Amino acid sequence: MNWINRASAERVKRAFGDKVSLFETKHTKGFRTDYESLKPLLKFLRDKERFVHFVDLTVVDFPERKERFEGLYILYNPDENERVIVKCDAKDGRLPSVVDLWAGAKWAEREAYDMFGVVFEGHENLRRMFMWEGYPYHPLRKDFPLGGIPEVELPSLTEVLHGRTDPPSHDFELMHTRLPTLEDLERTEKARLKKKAQLVLNWGPLHPGTHGTIWFLFDLEGEKVVQSDVILGQLHRGMEKIAENLYYFQFLPYTDRMDYISAICNELAYVETVERLLGVEVPPKARYIRTLFAELQRINSHLLWLGTGALDLGALTVFLYAFREREKIMDIIEGNAGYRLTTCFLRIGGVHYDLAEGTLDVVKAFIRDFPEKLKEYHRLLTRNRIWLRRTKDVGVIKREDVHNYGLSGPVARASGVPYDLRKLQPYAAYDEVEFDVPVGEVGDVYDRYLVRMEEMAQSVRIIEQCVSKLEKMPKSEPYINKEHPAVIPPKEDVYNALEDMVKSFRVVVHGESAPPGELYFSAENPRGELGFYILSKGGSSPYRLRIRSGALYNLSIFPKLIQGRTIADAIALLGSLDPVVGETDR
């Protein structure tokens, strides 16, 4: 994918003069501007230069600067397939809200306010996104410690019952970081939703229909939803903060634990980003292995969506059938990675292991049988009267809403927007395989169902081509780039000679030496665009690592879609958006 072209950049410069400066790095391109010109510039880019698609908004903290916070906006032009970055220093910790330009900025601004304390002027009811109301700190600031601030004493149950003992009856520190009280949670709930109708109904955070620990608030008039809001943060784990305190390769296992339904796809987005920053070339064999397993993981994820979504609406049989096929995929993944869920299979520079003996034969058997199983699912659901009544014309997303909210993945494609990063900015081996991008027409729950079903069929096509390529490659073909100094040597190579042990120790202890610079790269996760923005000041750890969650932005349109619908529609609608909380909360 390209960055803003020269002609567009020159038109921007002519329109804004000295108020805007163009910057260009090895991997990015965009503009710097001041507080007063930020919103006019963003509006010009949207209306005149057609950067209509909102990708992300975040903040970078520079404590040594007079204006310590820098706002960062990433936009996309679907007509030219170009991105642009806009940067602006927060004036006295403040930036203008752009929610009136892109509705997707609402949650992004709340997250930046929550994590950094930046105030967005003009944002209606600016409040916490993940932490509870009344929490006094902003965790992503550089001066906030990685382990939090231990300020509350949490004694052990034994001490509560029997008093303190010497030696103590526990092996942990008594002082812990602050936790929310029931009063804090009640205050948070009231801040999120001002009651207008008869009854406020809580759904979740531990209801099986929420597909994870999400807390929904519905203001009801009878069965109709007058307004709704979502309280995230039940699974918040501070992954961006952790990444900034680890070496690049050390963060890889954490990516598995974001979207834990598609660990390999998460890993792929991350390693592709870091490889571009470090200048690491990936061998052809590794690229095809990555693509093969990413598509197996995509089918695996869509099967879980299909089974649980059908179960939510009462179709138990589909749930059992979908898990039958998932088991086969999980066995293939486990046979190669050693783990079924959080695989940590990929590496910077390639993959951890070469293909296990017999893998391609098992994969061929799976893709030979799976198309018939897919027809089986269609026979059960596609023309089922109950399924049609529950899904057709429910939760219609218009094309302009896709751009306005920054939607991606099957949610965007079901509304007729062919936004698929495997085609728009090919990575791994996607530029060497043939497949189609299915799109919908109406953009309702039913279209999102059909798009995902066809995506599984297209994944089979991709896997077939990968198998064909891999069968022709000799066993000796490298599966990792052993020559690059930032790549950890394979385990079988490390313990053969003293020199190899020293090299491995040097890489593991000191990490990669990344050049200064910045980079935004994203990949096509089963839930949409999973992107990583990395700001490097050199060394082995990122200064700032931002995780752009496709699941978060897809979920952000839920309150709009459910408005005026019934509670029963909430089940079908949420399932069609397919959020995974580990990624939304990160």
Side-chain angles (χ1 to χ4, degrees):
M1 186 177 295
N2 298 319
W3 293 88
I4 185 170
N5 63 70
R6 180 180 297 179
S8 293
E10 288 176 352
R11 285 194 293 268
V12 171
K13 284 291 294 175
R14 284 197 299 270
F16 289 88
D18 295 338
K19 295 291 186 180
V20 169
S21 61
L22 178 69
F23 73 87
E24 186 170 2
T25 71
K26 182 179 179 181
H27 302 288
T28 61
K29 193 174 181 181
F31 303 99
R32 295 184 186 276
T33 189
D34 56 22
Y35 178 94
E36 288 74 19
S37 302
L38 173 62
K39 199 164 180 179
L41 171 60
L42 293 173
K43 192 173 188 303
F44 184 90
L45 288 169
R46 185 194 67 173
D47 298 341
K48 301 296 184 181
E49 299 302 326
R50 301 302 298 156
F51 285 90
V52 296
H53 188 90
F54 179 80
V55 177
D56 200 15
L57 183 167
T58 190
V59 167
V60 183
D61 183 15
F62 299 100
E64 71 281 0
R65 293 185 184 177
K66 179 182 177 182
E67 300 292 358
R68 69 180 287 183
F69 301 112
E70 180 181 77
L72 187 142
Y73 303 76
I74 305 175
L75 310 174
Y76 173 66
N77 181 337
D79 298 332
E80 302 293 337
N81 191 28
E82 294 176 344
R83 288 192 182 119
V84 67
I85 288 179
V86 176
K87 297 180 180 181
C88 177
D89 288 339
K91 187 177 181 180
D92 298 324
R94 296 174 177 271
L95 286 168
S97 174
V98 296
V99 174
D100 55 335
L101 298 181
W102 293 282
K106 180 179 180 180
W107 280 19
E109 289 180 356
R110 282 176 53 190
E111 180 178 347
Y113 165 71
D114 190 7
M115 295 292 108
F116 292 94
V118 174
V119 174
F120 290 86
E121 295 180 326
H123 186 120
E124 183 182 351
N125 197 18
L126 185 64
R127 54 202 186 275
R128 294 276 186 173
M129 188 70 211
F130 299 109
M131 310 305 289
W132 61 91
E133 297 299 324
Y135 185 70
Y137 308 115
H138 303 285
L140 282 185
R141 288 186 174 185
K142 289 295 183 182
D143 50 9
F144 186 85
L146 180 61
I149 300 174
E151 56 184 331
V152 179
E153 185 172 319
L154 296 175
S156 69
L157 180 60
T158 304
E159 289 187 339
V160 171
L161 296 175
H162 303 293
R164 301 243 168 137
T165 60
D166 189 22
S169 60
H170 54 81
D171 59 356
F172 55 85
E173 295 292 334
L174 291 181
M175 299 303 292
H176 286 253
T177 57
R178 187 185 300 240
L179 295 173
T181 64
L182 290 176
E183 290 78 13
D184 291 328
L185 296 178
E186 184 177 352
R187 179 181 172 187
T188 300
E189 179 183 2
K190 289 180 178 179
R192 298 294 174 89
L193 202 64
K194 305 298 182 184
K195 184 178 175 182
K196 292 182 179 178
Q198 294 175 331
L199 172 71
V200 174
L201 175 69
N202 289 274
W203 181 34
L206 298 176
H207 191 284
T210 61
H211 293 237
T213 46
I214 315 178
W215 182 0
F216 292 87
L217 300 173
F218 297 116
D219 196 9
L220 299 178
E221 192 76 49
E223 288 191 23
K224 296 284 185 180
V225 177
V226 175
Q227 58 172 336
S228 173
D229 203 354
V230 187
I231 302 179
L232 296 175
Q234 323 294 320
L235 208 60
H236 185 58
R237 289 171 290 178
M239 287 192 176
E240 294 181 12
K241 185 81 171 183
I242 291 171
E244 293 165 11
N245 289 271
L246 294 177
Y247 298 145
Y248 287 100
F249 76 90
Q250 287 178 312
F251 185 65
L252 186 59
Y254 287 87
T255 64
D256 292 341
R257 289 154 177 82
M258 294 190 302
D259 183 353
Y260 32 75
I261 311 304
S262 56
I264 292 176
C265 295
N266 301 344
E267 296 171 25
L268 183 53
Y270 177 69
V271 297
E272 289 274 348
T273 306
V274 176
E275 284 161 358
R276 282 163 172 75
L277 180 67
L278 297 174
V280 178
E281 291 289 333
V282 180
K285 188 175 189 178
R287 291 192 290 107
Y288 277 100
I289 292 174
R290 287 178 174 187
T291 307
L292 183 148
F293 276 93
E295 293 308 310
L296 284 172
Q297 192 83 82
R298 193 178 314 278
I299 296 173
N300 185 19
S301 175
H302 284 355
L303 285 175
L304 181 66
W305 154 81
L306 176 65
T308 55
L311 183 64
D312 286 342
L313 302 187
L316 174 62
T317 304
V318 182
F319 176 81
L320 300 175
Y321 282 14
F323 269 69
R324 176 189 60 194
E325 271 62 69
R326 285 192 79 240
E327 276 300 306
K328 298 174 184 177
I329 295 176
M330 300 288 268
D331 285 345
I332 294 171
I333 293 173
E334 183 182 17
N336 283 270
Y339 301 91
R340 296 166 64 82
L341 193 66
T342 51
T343 61
C344 200
F345 180 54
L346 273 52
R347 288 291 183 274
I348 297 170
V351 294
H352 194 188
Y353 304 108
D354 199 353
L355 289 175
E357 197 68 37
T359 296
L360 296 181
D361 292 333
V362 178
V363 171
K364 283 195 292 186
F366 173 79
I367 59 178
R368 183 180 62 245
D369 297 339
F370 184 69
E372 188 57 41
K373 306 301 182 185
L374 205 53
K375 292 178 183 176
E376 207 169 30
Y377 310 147
H378 275 294
R379 286 196 294 268
L380 287 167
L381 289 180
T382 303
R383 298 188 182 278
N384 184 299
R385 286 178 296 170
I386 300 174
W387 184 256
L388 292 171
R389 288 288 298 273
R390 294 297 303 275
T391 60
K392 285 188 77 70
D393 299 321
V394 175
V396 176
I397 299 175
K398 299 177 182 178
R399 290 177 66 99
E400 53 266 30
D401 284 336
V402 170
H403 302 309
N404 202 19
Y405 281 85
L407 308 183
S408 56
V411 175
R413 294 190 284 273
S415 298
V417 179
Y419 188 64
D420 191 320
L421 295 167
R422 297 172 296 175
K423 287 283 191 182
L424 297 174
Q425 58 167 25
Y427 53 95
Y430 285 111
D431 57 341
E432 300 175 47
V433 294
E434 294 182 0
F435 64 99
D436 298 320
V437 177
V439 293
E441 297 177 353
V442 179
D444 56 5
V445 171
Y446 188 67
D447 267 3
R448 293 193 277 278
Y449 156 74
L450 291 177
V451 163
R452 288 189 178 95
M453 294 291 279
E454 180 57 27
E455 281 191 5
M456 287 192 278
Q458 295 300 320
S459 291
V460 170
R461 284 183 63 192
I462 295 172
I463 293 168
E464 285 176 341
Q465 295 170 74
C466 290
V467 169
S468 177
K469 287 282 189 179
L470 288 167
E471 283 182 323
K472 298 172 184 176
M473 292 183 181
K475 183 70 176 175
S476 58
E477 187 84 12
Y479 58 89
I480 192 167
N481 183 345
K482 301 179 183 181
E483 305 305 319
H484 197 283
V487 176
I488 299 175
K491 191 174 290 184
E492 62 268 21
D493 293 351
V494 171
Y495 301 108
N496 295 332
L498 181 61
E499 292 81 5
D500 294 328
M501 292 179 66
V502 171
K503 178 185 177 184
S504 175
F505 179 79
R506 185 173 64 251
V507 171
V508 171
V509 172
H510 298 291
E512 311 84 350
S513 182
E518 65 178 345
L519 172 67
Y520 176 77
F521 184 80
S522 54
E524 191 63 40
N525 189 281
R527 259 143 292 283
E529 179 175 358
L530 178 63
F532 291 89
Y533 170 80
I534 295 177
L535 175 62
S536 168
K537 288 191 172 183
S540 55
S541 301
Y543 181 80
R544 173 79 171 103
L545 185 142
R546 162 67 173 172
I547 303 168
R548 192 272 182 200
S549 165
L552 176 77
Y553 284 111
N554 288 351
L555 183 60
S556 71
I557 200 173
F558 179 88
K560 177 184 178 179
L561 297 180
I562 196 59
Q563 192 169 351
R565 309 290 309 188
T566 65
I567 283 292
D569 289 334
I571 307 291
L573 175 56
L574 181 64
S576 76
L577 297 177
D578 192 25
V580 166
V581 186
E583 186 186 307
T584 62
D585 286 14
R586 306 182 302 292

